[in-house]
Amino acid sequence: AQSVTQLDSQVPVFEEAPVELRCNYSSSVSVYLFWYVQYPNQGLQLLLKYLSGSTLVKGINGFEAEFNKSQTSFHLRKPSVHISDTAEYFCAVSLNSGGYQKVTFGIGTKLQVIP
Amino acid sequence: DAGVIQSPRHEVTEMGQEVTLRCKPISGHDYLFWYRQTMMRGLELLIYFNNNVPIDDSGMPEDRFSAKMPNASFSTLKIQPSEPRDSAVYFCASSLAEDGVQETQYFGPGTRLLVL
């Protein structure tokens, strides 16, 4: 079975500073990886996903993530954050092993952008 | 498209009462998921359906929880009887799997349940 670990429960960062939210996964087979964002009082929405191909994935709102197979990581980055990026971010993984595989979500990282 | 629709958005009930949460997935999507989110346990998958058929209900906490999907445009999650520890935000999500590959899940706004 797969699992995902988000190493930081909360990340405070000043506006216009860069940010990295860390995610590591565990799986014995190849995986698909996702980052979702949840704004206050809303459901989750997809930021970006890695299915195959280039290991650098660009998503919405200026976010990007890099799939690193050797380190089993999929960290999320943004070079300059905005107040509106304040939200909770979820890393998720599913197995790439044929057929439909359910998605396992991490515990979430709260990003607090400080003016 | 209106997105995934959930009702009610908020529900306050007393312990022992029956609670029914409703979900309308995005038209054409063939997978539907029910999640529960709490501070302590994060986001937990309760059950998911494919083409209206329950595929995996291993996340359903106990027999008090049941879910149905009578047709492609409607699903319910029922808790009977409800307990204070069921207080959480319940999300419904839907997706379309193309060529068997997991695609994006689209989440509804959630139902915030408080059991007193």
Side-chain angles (χ1 to χ4, degrees):
Chain A
Q2 73 275 25
S3 67
V4 61
T5 302
Q6 292 185 245
L7 298 165
D8 306 298
S9 59
Q10 294 189 56
V11 173
V13 62
F14 286 104
E15 192 175 14
E16 298 184 4
V19 70
E20 178 179 86
L21 305 183
R22 296 180 293 169
C23 172
N24 286 89
Y25 68 92
S26 174
S27 173
S28 57
V29 300
S30 62
V31 295
Y32 299 131
L33 293 157
F34 309 81
W35 276 100
Y36 282 80
V37 60
Q38 184 180 27
Y39 298 104
N41 299 314
Q42 294 185 28
L44 281 69
Q45 63 183 85
L46 184 73
L47 265 182
L48 49 79
K49 61 185 175 186
Y50 170 79
L51 302 181
S52 64
S54 173
T55 56
L56 182 63
V57 181
K58 293 190 184 297
I60 61 171
N61 301 339
F63 284 92
E64 64 180 32
E66 185 155 20
F67 170 54
N68 188 320
K69 188 175 180 180
S70 62
Q71 297 187 4
T72 61
S73 67
F74 191 57
H75 301 332
L76 181 70
R77 301 185 182 98
K78 185 170 183 179
S80 175
V81 295
H82 190 266
I83 292 289
S84 59
D85 293 323
T86 294
E88 189 158 17
Y89 293 79
F90 294 87
C91 184
V93 62
S94 69
L95 299 181
N96 175 9
S97 58
Y100 186 85
Q101 303 291 335
K102 71 179 183 182
V103 177
T104 300
F105 286 83
I107 198 73
T109 297
K110 288 187 170 72
L111 175 63
Q112 177 67 44
V113 180
I114 304 163
Chain B
D1 200 315
V4 176
I5 299 172
Q6 291 186 247
S7 64
R9 292 294 309 276
H10 302 272
E11 177 83 25
V12 180
T13 190
E14 292 187 345
M15 183 174 65
Q17 296 299 304
E18 177 179 295
V19 175
T20 300
L21 311 181
R22 297 173 177 79
C23 174
K24 177 178 167 57
I26 291 173
S27 177
H29 282 189
D30 53 356
Y31 282 84
L32 184 138
F33 309 83
W34 282 101
Y35 290 91
R36 178 172 67 177
Q37 186 179 38
T38 60
M39 291 287 289
M40 294 300 295
R41 301 171 69 93
L43 194 66
E44 302 172 276
L45 176 65
L46 300 177
I47 184 172
Y48 75 92
F49 296 82
N50 177 218
N51 293 323
N52 315 337
V53 176
I55 302 300
D56 184 350
D57 65 355
S58 59
M60 296 286 260
E62 48 197 275
D63 292 345
R64 297 184 297 106
F65 285 69
S66 63
K68 294 182 180 178
M69 192 166 185
N71 57 62
S73 58
F74 184 65
S75 177
T76 59
L77 178 67
K78 187 174 293 186
I79 308 172
Q80 166 63 18
S82 58
E83 296 182 3
R85 60 192 167 122
D86 302 331
S87 298
V89 181
Y90 290 81
F91 289 103
C92 177
S94 69
S95 74
L96 176 64
E98 299 183 3
D99 299 325
V101 175
Q102 167 70 270
E103 289 296 332
T104 304
Q105 290 190 24
Y106 294 84
F107 283 74
T111 294
R112 193 171 295 272
L113 173 65
L114 178 62
V115 183
L116 302 173

